[in-house]
Amino acid sequence: MSTSLSASTRWWALGVLSLTQLVVVLDGTIVSIALPQAQQQLGLSDSGRQWVVTAYALAFGALLLLGGRIADYWGRKRTFLVGMLGFGAASVFGGVAQSGIELIIARGLQGLFAAMLAPAALALLTVSFPHGKDRNTAFAVFGTVAGAGAAVGLLLGGVLTEFADWRWCLLVNVFFVIVGFVGALLFVAESKADGNNRYDVLGAITVSLGLGALVYGFSLAESGWGEPLTIGFLALGVVLLALFVFIESRVAQPLLPLRIVVDKVRGGAFLIQAVAGSVMIGATLYLTFHLQIVLGMPPLESGLASLPLTIAIMIAAPVVTRLLPVIGPRPLLIAGPLIVAVGLIYLSRITADGSYFVQVLPALIVMGIGMGAIFVPVQNLALTGVASHDAGAASATVNAAMQIGGSVGLSIFTAVYAASVGAPDALGGASRLTAFATGYSATFLAAAVAMALASIVAIFLVRGPKSSLLPQGDLPVLAHAG
């Protein structure tokens, strides 16, 4: 069921929906720049600070599929409006937070409402531009805005943190929410899926608790992998995720139809996307810490210094898009992770007294090229061989894999960092900075190993004739880093 829009109104709707995607993506990076200042002000520990990023990514990724179902069944415009208001309220809560736990809760709530916003916006875009040249243009604009979101977040976070206060990195969302909410009321038509639709509540609960237990278990690993609590939470996470798979195989309208992920090629693409997410969300956070804490860059300079990674991805993506039909996705997904791994290995050579232009910049450019070679084919493989009624769930799954990979990866990298850095607070001056650099270096090496494993996944799982690995038909394919 849907209400048609006039030609001019559709383009206004595109602006509103693109703004939403910008907010959802930039909120993944804007807080990273502000985190060192927020950590100091709120007294967050090194393990606690990672939860400011993890809470957002985990809630977003774990609830994205449920958010899509709510949008389809309850009404996409209605879900969009509620998501907007909730996201704004959570942003204000985070902006006035007086403790680390309040900030972490606010970030989790932001992720929850982002999980309603993102699929609702994509579904509304799909029904507003159902076919033809206008559809291709609309998705190109939407994807470009999404791709720019990370860069906008880094710059805006740097400006607000340096010239105002870290809290404005959250409070600034109120402006976007007001524009998006009013714009949706004026220019977006309601639509929903027809038929007898039922929510897979049990599936949503088990996957959310399972992922949460898994991530918390990894975060406890910094005190020791053999600790009873660490083992207990990791085991609980595995059991709950296994229960989720069992539930999905039994319910009539599953949150995640297993036919989407059991396909070898598509499953491989989701795994590669998860590893890429661990690097883009997890490892790059430690790059921000190195730039600000070790190299002493102010927030704005740190944001600018991080930009070459995003710019390299945006430059590489169109080139990869043209290469994709020529060589197919398999060579790109084998080479791309290895290129990123080379960049990470180079980055792991950082020292406390090193130069950004010698030790960091070349690595970011190489990593960006490799990531561009990953994101485009992965987004395409997510829809290869998928029936039209599963396209939304497949697209949501590849984006959920990015966020979940980021939250799990960040927890693992934090454990690696803690094991490598020792007790830097007991040291002083240059020795303390050297300890930090050693810890960050270890996380980059761990990320390089993860990317090498992603290349192996591509070798063994992404197989078949080139023509069979490319999607057919008029399906939306968004290639972006967010």
Side-chain angles (χ1 to χ4, degrees), residues 27 31 43 61 73 90 93 103 142 166 168 187 245 275 281 306 308 392 403 422 424 441 454 458 463 482:
D27 256 74
V31 173
Y73 300 168
F93 177 38
L103 180 58
F142 192 81
W166 68 267
W168 280 100
F187 304 118
V245 172
V275 176
I281 296 173
S306 304
Q403 300 297 329
S441 176
R463 305 177 71 92

Side-chain angles (χ1 to χ4, degrees), residues 104-123:
I104 290 168
I105 291 171
R107 290 286 287 166
L109 289 172
Q110 278 188 312
L112 183 155
F113 287 108
M116 296 174 68
L117 271 177
L122 185 58

Side-chain angles (χ1 to χ4, degrees), residues 6 13 101 164 184 211 227 267 273 314 334 338 363-364 382 393 413 449 459 471:
S6 68
I101 190 64
L211 289 169
E227 294 293 321
Q273 179 79 332
M314 294 180 71
I334 293 172
L338 293 178
L364 296 185
F413 296 149
V449 171
I459 290 172

